[in-house]
Amino acid sequence: MGVATYLIAATPPRLAVGGITVAIPVLAVEQLGDVALGGLLAAAALGPSIVAAPVAGAMLDRSPRPGGLVAAAGLTIAAAYAIAAFLGPVPAWAVAIALLVAGAATPFVFGGLSSFVTERIPDERRAYAIDALAYNLGAVAGPAAVAAAAALGSARVATLLMAASALLGALGTIPLRLHPVAGDHDRSSMLRTIAAGFRHIATHRPLAIITASGTLSQFGAGGLAIAAVALAVARSGAAADGAIIVTAFAVGGLLGALWNSARPSRLRPEVEMGLGFAATGAFTVIAVADLGPWWAAFAIGVSGVFTAGSAAAMLLIRKQQSPPALRSQVFTVGAGLRAAAAAAGAAVAGLAAGVGAEPLIVAIGVVWIVSGAMLVAYPKGAPAIDGTAADGVAAA
């Protein structure tokens, strides 16, 4: 019951956010014939989450009713997407404001909700495997749902579908009955709470290492779509084949998440994270081998399989290496840094596209491998500081 309840709450809003970045550009072209506006509005839907992450985390850490904040965030996202669906009749500036508000609410349903998963699913390893599954389901199903809705109806219908998905997630948080992790809510000011969170992330060595590693890995992942299109053009002359490569990576991630949720790894989480990142990088590098028209998609798809286990391990370490009073902030800031790194990776890949598709793919693979190698510096036997044993089993 705990797993199903959590997935019902966590998957729909992540599906909505994953789909809106596809729906909005299509809607802008459909209604106004403006591709550039679509890109700007898509950025508005995601950009504020980076800035809002520490505030959202601190609010969740300090609130006696964190479930209400998560539900309110889902309702806010749903309302904003519903407004955005009427781009055209609704001025673009009003849609932009609505999407900026939705972007500021996103950290509550991403890293924020992740910080409470073990309150619903006691087995930590399985809990974060399930959370990784929710992320992967959203990443795959969101764009797919938008594509289907736009093909069968219109981009407006697709955007309204994303609003409905966010609303479903907001309603799904009610049965979770989230309770505060920290007992004392009469603490220092919001600014001091935020400062304490940043200080802990930066100076607590186990957390600093996995945060740096996880952030760097997304710098590589963010450039994959650009590199995949470049490789497809170089190999077949068809840019659309790049979408197949990117889809293969997403499907691989989903398959890995399904496997990991059914059979969570028992490796030490830092080992699982490091090996997973390195394996993703290795298969990315060998994707440049010209072994036939489907080789690149196959190799990149296999590389995606390893991302779910490493992501689950990273989430587990975040929880174990965070004091209860700062847990949500650690999760939201970590997610925000990864989002920023992915955006930066996409930008750098676009600027570097002239170097050639193969070197770009290899560079992305090397970034993944380096991010995995960083886990060698993780202090062996680092004790959990959240009241649990190091192997993820609750301490007696």
Side-chain angles (χ1 to χ4, degrees), residues 210-243:
I210 67 108
T211 300
S213 171
T215 301
L216 180 62
S217 73
Q218 288 305 105
F219 182 79
L224 180 62
I226 305 297
V229 171
L231 186 65
V233 171
R235 293 282 169 84
S236 67
D241 288 350

Side-chain angles (χ1 to χ4, degrees), residues 80-295:
Y81 290 179
I83 292 170
F86 294 94
L87 176 66
V90 175
W93 63 264
V95 169
I97 291 174
L99 291 175
L100 286 168
V101 173
T106 298
F108 288 94
V109 298
F110 274 65
L113 192 52
S114 293
S115 68
F116 290 94
V117 62
T118 52
E119 308 309 305
R120 190 66 192 180
I121 306 172
D123 184 332
E124 289 185 336
R125 288 185 179 269
R126 187 160 188 247
Y128 289 114
I130 293 298
D131 195 45
L133 175 61
Y135 279 109
N136 280 276
L137 283 170
V140 174
V146 166
L152 298 175
S154 67
R156 178 163 292 160
V157 171
T159 308
L160 287 172
L161 181 62
M162 295 303 99
S165 184
L167 177 60
L168 177 61
L171 297 175
T173 62
I174 297 173
L176 289 181
R177 302 183 183 279
L178 299 180
H179 298 292
V181 177
D184 180 15
H185 296 282
D186 185 19
R187 293 188 294 273
S188 58
S189 69
M190 175 72 77
L191 287 178
R192 288 186 178 180
T193 300
I194 293 173
F198 276 112
R199 185 164 55 249
H200 180 67
I201 293 170
T203 61
H204 184 61
R205 185 180 171 191
L207 194 58
I209 289 171
I210 67 108
T211 300
S213 171
T215 301
L216 180 62
S217 73
Q218 288 305 105
F219 182 79
L224 180 62
I226 305 297
V229 171
L231 186 65
V233 171
R235 293 282 169 84
S236 67
D241 288 350
I244 297 175
I245 296 174
V246 176
T247 301
F249 182 79
V251 171
L254 178 57
L255 293 175
L258 288 168
W259 173 264
N260 195 50
S261 62
R263 300 176 66 88
S265 171
R266 291 298 163 182
L267 291 172
R268 294 199 313 273
E270 68 273 18
V271 174
E272 173 76 6
M273 183 178 171
L275 290 178
F277 282 175
T280 296
F283 277 96
T284 301
V285 169
I286 67 174
V288 301
D290 194 357
L291 301 179
W294 293 102
W295 172 253

Side-chain angles (χ1 to χ4, degrees), residues 344-356:
V348 171
L351 293 172
V355 304

